[in-house]
mmCIF file of all heavy atoms in Angstrom:
data_model
loop_
_atom_site.group_PDB
_atom_site.id
_atom_site.type_symbol
_atom_site.label_atom_id
_atom_site.label_comp_id
_atom_site.label_asym_id
_atom_site.label_seq_id
_atom_site.Cartn_x
_atom_site.Cartn_y
_atom_site.Cartn_z
ATOM 1 N N TRP A 270 -0.407 1.420 3.924
ATOM 2 C CA TRP A 270 0.233 0.725 2.804
ATOM 3 C C TRP A 270 -0.803 0.074 1.895
ATOM 4 O O TRP A 270 -0.698 0.149 0.649
ATOM 5 C CB TRP A 270 1.195 -0.319 3.355
ATOM 6 C CG TRP A 270 1.722 -1.265 2.307
ATOM 7 C CD1 TRP A 270 2.755 -1.057 1.443
ATOM 8 C CD2 TRP A 270 1.226 -2.580 2.030
ATOM 9 N NE1 TRP A 270 2.934 -2.151 0.630
ATOM 10 C CE2 TRP A 270 2.013 -3.108 0.970
ATOM 11 C CE3 TRP A 270 0.204 -3.371 2.572
ATOM 12 C CZ2 TRP A 270 1.796 -4.380 0.448
ATOM 13 C CZ3 TRP A 270 -0.013 -4.631 2.050
ATOM 14 C CH2 TRP A 270 0.784 -5.126 0.996
ATOM 15 N N ALA A 271 -1.831 -0.572 2.485
ATOM 16 C CA ALA A 271 -2.860 -1.231 1.683
ATOM 17 C C ALA A 271 -3.674 -0.220 0.879
ATOM 18 O O ALA A 271 -4.083 -0.503 -0.257
ATOM 19 C CB ALA A 271 -3.787 -2.051 2.592
ATOM 20 N N VAL A 272 -3.908 0.966 1.457
ATOM 21 C CA VAL A 272 -4.618 2.014 0.723
ATOM 22 C C VAL A 272 -3.835 2.417 -0.523
ATOM 23 O O VAL A 272 -4.393 2.578 -1.617
ATOM 24 C CB VAL A 272 -4.879 3.230 1.633
ATOM 25 C CG1 VAL A 272 -5.362 4.429 0.817
ATOM 26 C CG2 VAL A 272 -5.907 2.886 2.698
ATOM 27 N N ARG A 273 -2.519 2.592 -0.372
ATOM 28 C CA ARG A 273 -1.697 2.958 -1.532
ATOM 29 C C ARG A 273 -1.648 1.843 -2.568
ATOM 30 O O ARG A 273 -1.549 2.096 -3.772
ATOM 31 C CB ARG A 273 -0.274 3.298 -1.065
ATOM 32 C CG ARG A 273 -0.171 4.574 -0.238
ATOM 33 C CD ARG A 273 1.284 4.994 -0.054
ATOM 34 N NE ARG A 273 2.053 4.017 0.686
ATOM 35 C CZ ARG A 273 2.195 4.023 2.010
ATOM 36 N NH1 ARG A 273 1.591 4.969 2.736
ATOM 37 N NH2 ARG A 273 2.923 3.109 2.619
ATOM 38 N N LEU A 274 -1.746 0.584 -2.124
ATOM 39 C CA LEU A 274 -1.607 -0.560 -3.022
ATOM 40 C C LEU A 274 -2.853 -0.796 -3.866
ATOM 41 O O LEU A 274 -2.758 -0.956 -5.096
ATOM 42 C CB LEU A 274 -1.284 -1.814 -2.209
ATOM 43 C CG LEU A 274 -1.060 -3.105 -3.007
ATOM 44 C CD1 LEU A 274 0.210 -2.985 -3.855
ATOM 45 C CD2 LEU A 274 -0.956 -4.301 -2.063
ATOM 46 N N VAL A 275 -4.042 -0.825 -3.229
ATOM 47 C CA VAL A 275 -5.265 -1.198 -3.962
ATOM 48 C C VAL A 275 -6.292 -0.079 -4.030
ATOM 49 O O VAL A 275 -7.307 -0.216 -4.724
ATOM 50 C CB VAL A 275 -5.909 -2.455 -3.339
ATOM 51 C CG1 VAL A 275 -4.937 -3.616 -3.338
ATOM 52 C CG2 VAL A 275 -6.412 -2.184 -1.919
ATOM 53 N N GLY A 276 -6.080 1.019 -3.292
ATOM 54 C CA GLY A 276 -7.057 2.096 -3.278
ATOM 55 C C GLY A 276 -8.015 1.955 -2.115
ATOM 56 O O GLY A 276 -8.345 0.840 -1.681
ATOM 57 N N ALA A 277 -8.490 3.100 -1.607
ATOM 58 C CA ALA A 277 -9.330 3.103 -0.405
ATOM 59 C C ALA A 277 -10.650 2.376 -0.630
ATOM 60 O O ALA A 277 -11.076 1.564 0.188
ATOM 61 C CB ALA A 277 -9.583 4.545 0.044
ATOM 62 N N ARG A 278 -11.324 2.686 -1.755
ATOM 63 C CA ARG A 278 -12.632 2.072 -1.990
ATOM 64 C C ARG A 278 -12.525 0.559 -2.143
ATOM 65 O O ARG A 278 -13.284 -0.199 -1.523
ATOM 66 C CB ARG A 278 -13.268 2.678 -3.238
ATOM 67 C CG ARG A 278 -14.705 2.192 -3.488
ATOM 68 C CD ARG A 278 -15.076 2.296 -4.950
ATOM 69 N NE ARG A 278 -14.796 3.627 -5.462
ATOM 70 C CZ ARG A 278 -15.645 4.650 -5.373
ATOM 71 N NH1 ARG A 278 -16.807 4.474 -4.789
ATOM 72 N NH2 ARG A 278 -15.325 5.823 -5.880
ATOM 73 N N ASN A 279 -11.574 0.080 -2.953
ATOM 74 C CA ASN A 279 -11.424 -1.361 -3.158
ATOM 75 C C ASN A 279 -11.090 -2.069 -1.851
ATOM 76 O O ASN A 279 -11.585 -3.177 -1.586
ATOM 77 C CB ASN A 279 -10.336 -1.627 -4.188
ATOM 78 C CG ASN A 279 -10.734 -1.194 -5.583
ATOM 79 O OD1 ASN A 279 -11.916 -1.104 -5.892
ATOM 80 N ND2 ASN A 279 -9.746 -0.908 -6.426
ATOM 81 N N LEU A 280 -10.259 -1.446 -1.023
ATOM 82 C CA LEU A 280 -9.911 -2.048 0.259
ATOM 83 C C LEU A 280 -11.129 -2.166 1.154
ATOM 84 O O LEU A 280 -11.363 -3.211 1.775
ATOM 85 C CB LEU A 280 -8.824 -1.212 0.938
ATOM 86 C CG LEU A 280 -8.337 -1.710 2.304
ATOM 87 C CD1 LEU A 280 -7.710 -3.097 2.183
ATOM 88 C CD2 LEU A 280 -7.338 -0.731 2.913
ATOM 89 N N ALA A 281 -11.936 -1.095 1.238
ATOM 90 C CA ALA A 281 -13.116 -1.121 2.104
ATOM 91 C C ALA A 281 -14.134 -2.160 1.639
ATOM 92 O O ALA A 281 -14.697 -2.908 2.450
ATOM 93 C CB ALA A 281 -13.761 0.264 2.143
ATOM 94 N N VAL A 282 -14.372 -2.231 0.336
ATOM 95 C CA VAL A 282 -15.335 -3.206 -0.190
ATOM 96 C C VAL A 282 -14.855 -4.630 0.055
ATOM 97 O O VAL A 282 -15.616 -5.499 0.513
ATOM 98 C CB VAL A 282 -15.571 -2.962 -1.695
ATOM 99 C CG1 VAL A 282 -16.401 -4.091 -2.305
ATOM 100 C CG2 VAL A 282 -16.285 -1.629 -1.912
ATOM 101 N N GLY A 283 -13.575 -4.889 -0.233
ATOM 102 C CA GLY A 283 -13.039 -6.227 -0.026
ATOM 103 C C GLY A 283 -13.095 -6.661 1.433
ATOM 104 O O GLY A 283 -13.411 -7.818 1.744
ATOM 105 N N CYS A 284 -12.816 -5.733 2.334
ATOM 106 C CA CYS A 284 -12.849 -6.066 3.763
ATOM 107 C C CYS A 284 -14.271 -6.334 4.247
ATOM 108 O O CYS A 284 -14.486 -7.188 5.116
ATOM 109 C CB CYS A 284 -12.204 -4.943 4.568
ATOM 110 S SG CYS A 284 -10.404 -4.883 4.414
ATOM 111 N N SER A 285 -15.251 -5.624 3.710
ATOM 112 C CA SER A 285 -16.648 -5.876 4.085
ATOM 113 C C SER A 285 -17.062 -7.289 3.688
ATOM 114 O O SER A 285 -17.716 -8.011 4.454
ATOM 115 C CB SER A 285 -17.572 -4.855 3.415
ATOM 116 O OG SER A 285 -17.285 -3.546 3.843
ATOM 117 N N ILE A 286 -16.666 -7.698 2.490
ATOM 118 C CA ILE A 286 -16.998 -9.046 2.025
ATOM 119 C C ILE A 286 -16.279 -10.095 2.867
ATOM 120 O O ILE A 286 -16.862 -11.126 3.248
ATOM 121 C CB ILE A 286 -16.640 -9.189 0.533
ATOM 122 C CG1 ILE A 286 -17.512 -8.251 -0.306
ATOM 123 C CG2 ILE A 286 -16.807 -10.635 0.068
ATOM 124 C CD1 ILE A 286 -17.122 -8.174 -1.763
ATOM 125 N N ALA A 287 -15.021 -9.838 3.200
ATOM 126 C CA ALA A 287 -14.270 -10.781 4.026
ATOM 127 C C ALA A 287 -14.894 -10.935 5.410
ATOM 128 O O ALA A 287 -14.935 -12.037 5.969
ATOM 129 C CB ALA A 287 -12.815 -10.318 4.150
ATOM 130 N N ALA A 288 -15.398 -9.832 5.992
ATOM 131 C CA ALA A 288 -16.060 -9.914 7.295
ATOM 132 C C ALA A 288 -17.319 -10.772 7.213
ATOM 133 O O ALA A 288 -17.611 -11.555 8.128
ATOM 134 C CB ALA A 288 -16.401 -8.510 7.796
ATOM 135 N N ALA A 289 -18.074 -10.631 6.115
ATOM 136 C CA ALA A 289 -19.269 -11.461 5.933
ATOM 137 C C ALA A 289 -18.894 -12.938 5.889
ATOM 138 O O ALA A 289 -19.592 -13.794 6.470
ATOM 139 C CB ALA A 289 -20.001 -11.043 4.658
ATOM 140 N N ILE A 290 -17.794 -13.269 5.219
ATOM 141 C CA ILE A 290 -17.345 -14.655 5.144
ATOM 142 C C ILE A 290 -16.954 -15.176 6.529
ATOM 143 O O ILE A 290 -17.255 -16.325 6.887
ATOM 144 C CB ILE A 290 -16.171 -14.771 4.153
ATOM 145 C CG1 ILE A 290 -16.649 -14.459 2.732
ATOM 146 C CG2 ILE A 290 -15.544 -16.163 4.218
ATOM 147 C CD1 ILE A 290 -15.527 -14.378 1.708
ATOM 148 N N CYS A 291 -16.310 -14.335 7.324
ATOM 149 C CA CYS A 291 -15.937 -14.740 8.687
ATOM 150 C C CYS A 291 -17.169 -15.087 9.516
ATOM 151 O O CYS A 291 -17.177 -16.083 10.255
ATOM 152 C CB CYS A 291 -15.134 -13.634 9.362
ATOM 153 S SG CYS A 291 -13.445 -13.454 8.761
ATOM 154 N N PHE A 292 -18.209 -14.267 9.424
ATOM 155 C CA PHE A 292 -19.430 -14.555 10.175
ATOM 156 C C PHE A 292 -20.097 -15.830 9.667
ATOM 157 O O PHE A 292 -20.691 -16.581 10.445
ATOM 158 C CB PHE A 292 -20.391 -13.370 10.104
ATOM 159 C CG PHE A 292 -20.195 -12.369 11.202
ATOM 160 C CD1 PHE A 292 -19.219 -11.399 11.108
ATOM 161 C CD2 PHE A 292 -20.974 -12.415 12.340
ATOM 162 C CE1 PHE A 292 -19.021 -10.480 12.126
ATOM 163 C CE2 PHE A 292 -20.790 -11.515 13.369
ATOM 164 C CZ PHE A 292 -19.804 -10.544 13.258
ATOM 165 N N LEU A 293 -20.021 -16.074 8.367
ATOM 166 C CA LEU A 293 -20.558 -17.315 7.820
ATOM 167 C C LEU A 293 -19.844 -18.521 8.427
ATOM 168 O O LEU A 293 -20.482 -19.513 8.825
ATOM 169 C CB LEU A 293 -20.401 -17.312 6.298
ATOM 170 C CG LEU A 293 -20.873 -18.571 5.564
ATOM 171 C CD1 LEU A 293 -22.381 -18.736 5.711
ATOM 172 C CD2 LEU A 293 -20.485 -18.502 4.089
ATOM 173 N N LEU A 294 -18.532 -18.448 8.539
ATOM 174 C CA LEU A 294 -17.760 -19.543 9.123
ATOM 175 C C LEU A 294 -18.048 -19.706 10.607
ATOM 176 O O LEU A 294 -18.129 -20.833 11.117
ATOM 177 C CB LEU A 294 -16.267 -19.295 8.900
ATOM 178 C CG LEU A 294 -15.781 -19.403 7.450
ATOM 179 C CD1 LEU A 294 -14.326 -18.978 7.341
ATOM 180 C CD2 LEU A 294 -15.974 -20.824 6.926
ATOM 181 N N ILE A 295 -18.213 -18.589 11.331
ATOM 182 C CA ILE A 295 -18.526 -18.673 12.764
ATOM 183 C C ILE A 295 -19.858 -19.376 12.976
ATOM 184 O O ILE A 295 -20.003 -20.247 13.845
ATOM 185 C CB ILE A 295 -18.539 -17.263 13.389
ATOM 186 C CG1 ILE A 295 -17.106 -16.717 13.495
ATOM 187 C CG2 ILE A 295 -19.191 -17.288 14.782
ATOM 188 C CD1 ILE A 295 -17.033 -15.285 13.979
ATOM 189 N N GLY A 296 -20.873 -19.000 12.182
ATOM 190 C CA GLY A 296 -22.187 -19.638 12.305
ATOM 191 C C GLY A 296 -22.143 -21.113 11.937
ATOM 192 O O GLY A 296 -22.851 -21.930 12.539
#
């Protein structure tokens, strides 16, 4: 559903950035 909504590339890029933020918060 998310792929159809925002597109595969935008979803992958956004998720990579979100993962970086999660690691920042963990540290």
